[in-house]
């Protein structure tokens, strides 16, 4: 399928090397270097949406998180939006994960057009996710084991070692989408708009069976259907087939459907999970979240023109490039920063003001500022794991690629479900119907990455990658 005239060109970040001479040998290019060599036909808006979606999720977690000491002296985690339900409509703006999967569809269309095989595609896409994730998991698994050996696996440390792994659900689900992307790309080229329509119909069917007939076991299927559906729309963006009329229909139809589902259906107001709520729109995703994703994507496309003009300014574009180089590392470690700051606060005996009062609101900018500084320190330490690298050439079959992706998927989602703590005590949890433990999940992640060949890289090619790319 050929793109229509005016379609966004599919230019990956790693090709920002043609408009200016390469940096001196041994020096990695700066964001300014890459900005100066950006091809004119690059769709800069995609890069901005990627950074914006991750940054919004991070900021949302920081704003919503509440750590408080109860009457019994135990530290508990809470959610500010559960304490202030009137603010839950803010989640319609803070829940931007559909944008990340949408942008993923655009990027995967680029990669699939030049990928020689299934294994080659999944190796390349998985490496950028799994190498920094493996470092994060390895560090936190070691810390959790040391805590357990010291006999301190209780109280706030128990809470931290469980909760810090929760953002890994996103990495796991995205890996699943990557694994299905080649198949979905072929279906897109063969059947076009019928594919997202069929996926959307599947979402409706799952929710009808779940909420009308009580078939709760089918609900996890929407983890695949919802995220594949919004990912599929990214293929249409890559083809230049999301015109003004289409995105207006997505925006109007999506917001109307979301509001109707909340008003007349079983769906909660919040687009993120709330403590104690019987139903979450997010885990697993519901039809309401799918409708939310449609209007959010439509709105993003309506804003593309004016924002793209803003991105033509050199300073703005340099900032976007720099942010892209550290966004995944910041996402992985942002809850670590949150718990470090909370630990210092508790150690100093400082108490948070009641959520929602004037002092709490006045302290929010300072709170975010402190968390940004701590996260920046963690990024400085662990960012190297997130640098682009060229994997050593390998000829892997589809079966090996699929097996490696499945093992990585179960390992990452397993860690997200069970956390890092309690490994030596044999702590377990259930991932859908599969029992998982911290050590077993970590082993599956390492084994899957080994099958994909992510631990082997060509030294010369890696040095070349480090010399010509940023983030």
């Amino acid at each position: 399928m050929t793109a229509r005239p005016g379609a966004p060109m599919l230019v990956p970040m790693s090709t920002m090397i043609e408009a200016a001479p390469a940096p001196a040998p041994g020096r990695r290019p700066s964001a300014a270097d890459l900005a100066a060599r950006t091809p004119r036909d690059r769709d800069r808006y995609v890069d901005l949406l990627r950074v914006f979606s991750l940054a919004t999720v991070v900021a949302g977690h920081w704003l919503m998180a509440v750590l408080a000491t109860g009457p019994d002296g135990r530290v508990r985690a809470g959610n500010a939006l559960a304490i202030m339900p009137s603010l839950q409509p803010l989640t319609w703006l803070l829940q931007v994960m559909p944008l990340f999967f949408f942008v993923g569809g655009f990027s995967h269309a680029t990669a699939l057009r030049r990928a020689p095989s299934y294994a080659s595609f999944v190796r390349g896409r998985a490496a950028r996710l799994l190498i920094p994730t493996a470092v994060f998991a390895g560090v936190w698994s070691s810390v959790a084991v040391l805590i357990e050996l010291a006999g301190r696996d209780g109280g706030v440390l128990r809470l931290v070692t469980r909760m810090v792994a929760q953002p890994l659900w996103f990495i796991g689900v995205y890996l699943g989408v990557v694994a299905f992307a080649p198949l979905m790309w072929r279906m897109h080229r063969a059947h076009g708009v019928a594919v997202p329509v069929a996926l959307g119909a599947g979402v409706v069917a799952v929710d009808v069976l779940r909420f009308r007939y009580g078939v709760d076991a089918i609900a996890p299927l929407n983890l695949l259907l919802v995220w594949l559906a919004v990912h599929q729309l990214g293929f249409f963006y890559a083809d230049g087939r999301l015109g003004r009329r289409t995105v207006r229909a997505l925006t109007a139809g999506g917001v109307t459907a979301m509001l109707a589902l909340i008003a007349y259906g079983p769906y909660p107001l919040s687009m993120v999970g709330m403590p104690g709520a019987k139903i979450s729109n997010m885990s697993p995703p519901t039809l309401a979240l799918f409708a939310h994703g449609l209007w959010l994507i439509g709105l993003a496309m309506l804003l593309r023109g004016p924002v793209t003009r803003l991105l033509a300014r050199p300073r703005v574009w340099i900032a976007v490039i720099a942010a892209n180089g550290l966004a995944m590392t910041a996402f992985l470690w942002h809850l670590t920063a949150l718990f470090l700051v909370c630990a210092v606060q508790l150690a100093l005996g400082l108490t948070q003001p009641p959520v929602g009062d004037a002092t709490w609101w006045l302290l929010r900018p300072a709170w975010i500022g402190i968390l940004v500084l701590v996260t920046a320190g963690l990024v400085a330490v662990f960012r190297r794991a997130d640098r682009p690298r060229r994997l050593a050439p390998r000829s892997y079959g589809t079966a090996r690629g699929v097996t490696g992706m499945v093992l990585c998927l179960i390992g990452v989602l397993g860690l997200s479900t069970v956390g890092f703590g309690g490994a030596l005590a044999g702590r377990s949890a259930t991932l859908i119907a599969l029992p998982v433990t911290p050590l077993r999940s970590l082993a599956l992640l390492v084994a899957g990455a080994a099958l994909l060949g992510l631990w082997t890289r060509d030294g010369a090619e890696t040095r070349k990658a480090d010399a010509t790319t940023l983030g």
Side-chain angles (χ1 to χ4, degrees), residues 28-29 388-390 459-470:
R28 294 186 71 245
R389 62 194 68 198
R390 302 291 179 90
E461 287 298 316
T462 298
R463 287 191 295 271
K464 180 180 178 182
D466 284 344
T468 57
T469 61
L470 178 70

Side-chain angles (χ1 to χ4, degrees), residues 30 50 76 149 160 174 182 185 188 316 332 339 380 418:
S30 66
R50 183 183 298 112
R76 294 178 173 84
L149 287 172
V160 170
Y174 196 80
W185 174 244
H188 168 74
V316 176
L332 285 168
F339 287 120
V418 74

Side-chain angles (χ1 to χ4, degrees), residues 302-350:
L302 289 173
L303 295 174
R304 178 175 176 265
V307 176
T308 298
R309 288 191 290 273
L310 180 65
L311 291 171
R313 298 180 181 180
R315 290 184 180 180
V316 176
W317 181 229
I318 288 171
V320 172
I321 293 176
N324 258 296
L326 53 84
M328 185 56 65
T329 304
F331 175 79
L332 285 168
W333 292 94
H334 77 281
L335 284 188
T336 302
L338 173 66
F339 287 120
L340 284 174
V341 172
C342 289
V344 172
Q345 176 188 341
L346 292 171
L348 295 176
L350 302 175

Side-chain angles (χ1 to χ4, degrees), residues 135-387:
V135 171
F136 172 78
V139 169
W140 262 108
S141 294
S142 301
V143 170
V145 167
L146 290 175
I147 289 172
E148 196 170 358
L149 287 172
R152 303 297 298 274
D153 186 28
V156 68
L157 291 179
R158 177 185 293 268
L159 176 69
V160 170
T161 55
R162 271 58 164 181
M163 291 192 64
V164 77
Q166 288 185 359
L168 292 179
W169 77 264
F170 157 72
I171 304 292
V173 173
Y174 196 80
L175 282 172
V177 170
V178 169
F180 276 93
L183 171 63
M184 304 311 297
W185 174 244
R186 289 196 294 272
M187 294 179 67
H188 168 74
R189 299 183 72 179
H191 305 292
V193 73
V195 181
V197 170
L199 290 168
V203 175
V204 173
V206 167
D207 274 17
V208 168
L209 289 171
R210 178 186 176 188
F211 296 119
R212 185 175 179 84
Y213 298 103
V215 188
D216 292 334
I218 201 172
L221 184 59
N222 268 353
L223 278 168
L224 190 64
L225 296 176
V226 169
W227 297 121
L228 281 179
V230 294
H231 174 268
Q232 202 75 11
L233 294 178
F235 291 160
F236 288 88
Y237 180 27
D239 286 344
R241 293 167 61 185
L242 288 183
R244 298 285 292 184
R245 188 173 298 176
T246 301
V247 296
R248 284 172 181 164
L250 284 176
T251 306
V255 74
T256 301
M258 182 192 73
L259 293 174
L261 289 166
I262 292 171
Y264 302 108
Y267 304 97
L269 185 67
S270 173
M271 289 298 136
V272 301
M274 290 289 117
K278 292 182 179 180
I279 298 173
S280 166
N281 279 319
M282 189 65 186
S283 182
T286 64
L287 180 60
L289 182 70
F290 178 54
H292 166 73
L294 293 181
W295 80 258
L296 196 64
I297 290 168
L299 178 62
M301 290 295 95
L302 289 173
L303 295 174
R304 178 175 176 265
V307 176
T308 298
R309 288 191 290 273
L310 180 65
L311 291 171
R313 298 180 181 180
R315 290 184 180 180
V316 176
W317 181 229
I318 288 171
V320 172
I321 293 176
N324 258 296
L326 53 84
M328 185 56 65
T329 304
F331 175 79
L332 285 168
W333 292 94
H334 77 281
L335 284 188
T336 302
L338 173 66
F339 287 120
L340 284 174
V341 172
C342 289
V344 172
Q345 176 188 341
L346 292 171
L348 295 176
L350 302 175
T351 59
Q352 289 193 3
V355 174
D357 75 1
T359 305
W360 187 85
W361 282 111
L362 288 173
L363 288 175
R364 290 307 88 193
W367 173 253
I368 296 296
I370 293 170
L371 291 171
V372 167
L373 290 175
V374 177
T375 302
L378 291 169
V379 168
V381 173
F382 296 106
R383 181 185 170 188
R384 185 175 181 82
D386 199 19
R387 287 182 181 175

